[in-house]
Amino acid sequence: MDTAYVYDPIYLEHDLPSHPENARRLKRILSTLEDEGMLERLRLLEPRPATAEELQRVHTPAHIEQVQRVAQAGGGHLDLDTYVSPHSFEAALMAAGGVVRAVEAVLAGEIANGFALVRPPGHHATATRAMGFCLFNNIAVAARAALSSPFPLVGGRAGDEGRVERIFIADFDVHHGNGTQDAFAGDPAVFYFSTHQYPYYPGTGLWNDTGHGAGEGTVLNVPLPTQVGDAGYAQIFTELAWPLAERFRPDLILVSAGYDAHWSDPLAQMNLSLTGYAWLEQELVRMAEQLCDGRIVFVLEGGYQLDVLACGVLNSFYAMLGENTIADPLGPSAYPERPVDALVARLKGVHGLS
């Protein structure tokens, strides 16, 4: 089966050139994938707009209507960080629907895995509010769609042709995905795992936020001090994410893929290299292969150093194709890395791993 990417030119129509989250981000990704000969190796999945029903599993009608109204009025700002341009509502519908399309294709066995190259991003958007550059929560909409799907899995575990019952969401964007956590913190069907710089925007994602009610224990927040890099992230994945994912046994893995934890990103102060990011991507693909028959979809979130962003996405495709190739033109950070031993030990205790 093919590795696929989701893309539509409408994603470039959500644009404010002076804003960090602008159309140049996706243009650079696409040009790099073409220059490296990657696009010709991939299958293009054309998105469709998310339906009202799909959006309303995550967002209130009032929020959806506000985004539409501001776009139809010619655009504006929903808060200090989050803009709407005249075509943003259409782009946001296609972004959420594009991730749903990728997930449907993976679940149906139409493709092996894929990356939804969508804009605007999504993981900060809550049920009632656009924020942090995000209008609709693309990954949450797709997760809800997968859990609501009436269609059986293709290629399930031996003897298992059941529907999606458990989804593991990994979020390695440098900012905590508060909207995604809010959507699923009380839901035992979704495990949300986030590594993020803390304290930093949006100020959520504490180590003791582990879910609530029926969802208690299905949130792993790893709030990191500045300058944590390749070794620290690898330790977190090895000692926390892997055992918790194995315990959860997902049917599908979704990834909020933000590349702003790189040491050169202008909006954060972390220490990951592209090689470190590639290792995380390879581990998530391996996790999917081991736990859910390879079903994994990456979803574009942040990342504001354009070379890093483009190479990070390129490396994700190498990982999904099962190749060890890594593009890392910037090399390792020149700064010393902070250890994470104490934080990992604390989180092991919280999650019953020690």
Side-chain angles (χ1 to χ4, degrees):
M1 289 189 292
D2 297 327
T3 292
Y5 71 103
V6 173
Y7 171 73
D8 190 277
I10 189 61
Y11 299 144
L12 303 180
E13 298 299 316
H14 170 73
D15 192 29
L16 183 63
S18 61
H19 194 280
E21 204 297 292
N22 59 58
R24 292 191 300 275
R25 299 176 65 240
L26 191 46
K27 290 178 180 178
R28 178 66 66 84
I29 291 170
L30 293 168
S31 65
T32 297
L33 295 177
E34 184 172 11
D35 290 346
E36 295 300 319
M38 180 57 73
L39 285 184
E40 64 191 30
R41 304 178 60 190
L42 305 173
R43 176 176 171 182
L44 171 62
L45 279 182
E46 295 184 359
R48 60 164 177 82
T51 67
E53 179 183 4
E54 287 166 343
L55 285 181
Q56 288 176 23
R57 293 187 186 119
V58 175
H59 298 289
T60 64
H63 169 60
I64 298 166
E65 290 164 8
Q66 182 191 32
V67 176
Q68 183 177 24
R69 184 173 61 252
V70 174
Q72 289 177 341
H77 275 75
L78 299 177
D79 64 19
L80 290 175
D81 298 314
T82 310
Y83 69 88
V84 174
S85 54
H87 296 287
S88 290
F89 181 69
E90 183 182 357
L93 288 181
M94 291 287 274
V99 184
V100 175
R101 174 73 180 99
V103 167
E104 289 173 337
V106 166
L107 296 181
E110 181 182 345
I111 61 172
N113 46 39
F115 203 132
L117 299 177
V118 300
R119 296 181 56 255
H123 73 154
H124 293 307
T126 70
T128 60
R129 181 184 175 193
M131 59 183 291
F133 312 167
C134 303
L135 300 183
F136 301 139
N137 196 311
N138 306 318
I139 207 164
V141 171
R144 283 279 175 234
L147 292 168
S148 303
S149 172
F151 305 110
L153 292 172
V154 172
R157 286 182 289 269
D160 177 12
E161 293 297 325
R163 295 174 176 83
V164 173
E165 295 180 352
R166 294 176 301 278
I167 298 174
F168 187 91
I169 299 177
D171 186 338
F172 56 59
D173 191 280
V174 82
H175 304 95
H176 179 246
N178 58 298
T180 309
Q181 178 176 307
D182 286 353
F184 299 114
D187 188 344
V190 178
F191 194 107
Y192 177 67
F193 158 53
S194 174
T195 50
H196 47 273
Q197 182 176 324
Y198 186 89
Y200 202 38
Y201 184 89
T204 52
L206 295 171
W207 63 271
N208 56 357
D209 288 342
T210 58
H212 55 77
E216 176 61 43
T218 62
V219 173
L220 170 61
N221 279 316
V222 189
L224 297 170
T226 59
Q227 304 305 323
V228 174
D230 295 0
Y233 275 79
Q235 183 178 352
I236 290 159
F237 270 62
T238 300
E239 299 186 30
L240 293 170
W242 259 105
L244 289 171
E246 287 174 324
R247 188 163 75 187
F248 187 68
R249 297 179 67 247
D251 300 306
L252 171 69
I253 294 176
L254 303 178
V255 184
S256 272
Y259 297 92
D260 36 9
H262 190 271
W263 60 263
S264 70
D265 193 273
L267 299 189
Q269 296 83 40
M270 301 305 283
N271 235 356
L272 264 178
S273 70
L274 278 164
T275 297
Y277 259 121
W279 186 88
L280 303 183
E281 293 157 346
Q282 291 167 358
E283 285 299 289
L284 288 166
V285 170
R286 188 166 71 89
M287 187 182 291
E289 290 170 348
Q290 181 170 315
L291 301 180
C292 52
D293 297 291
R295 290 186 287 266
I296 187 169
V297 173
F298 288 76
V299 181
L300 186 63
E301 300 284 4
Y304 307 98
Q305 207 280 24
L306 298 187
D307 291 330
V308 168
L309 177 65
C311 289
V313 172
L314 174 64
N315 289 334
S316 293
F317 282 115
Y318 285 134
M320 284 187 282
L321 290 166
E323 300 176 6
N324 293 322
T325 305
I326 296 174
D328 188 357
L330 281 77
S333 171
Y335 304 103
E337 180 175 342
R338 282 191 176 180
V340 296
D341 303 81
L343 177 59
V344 169
R346 172 185 283 180
L347 288 168
K348 281 184 175 180
V350 169
H351 288 273
L353 297 175
S354 56

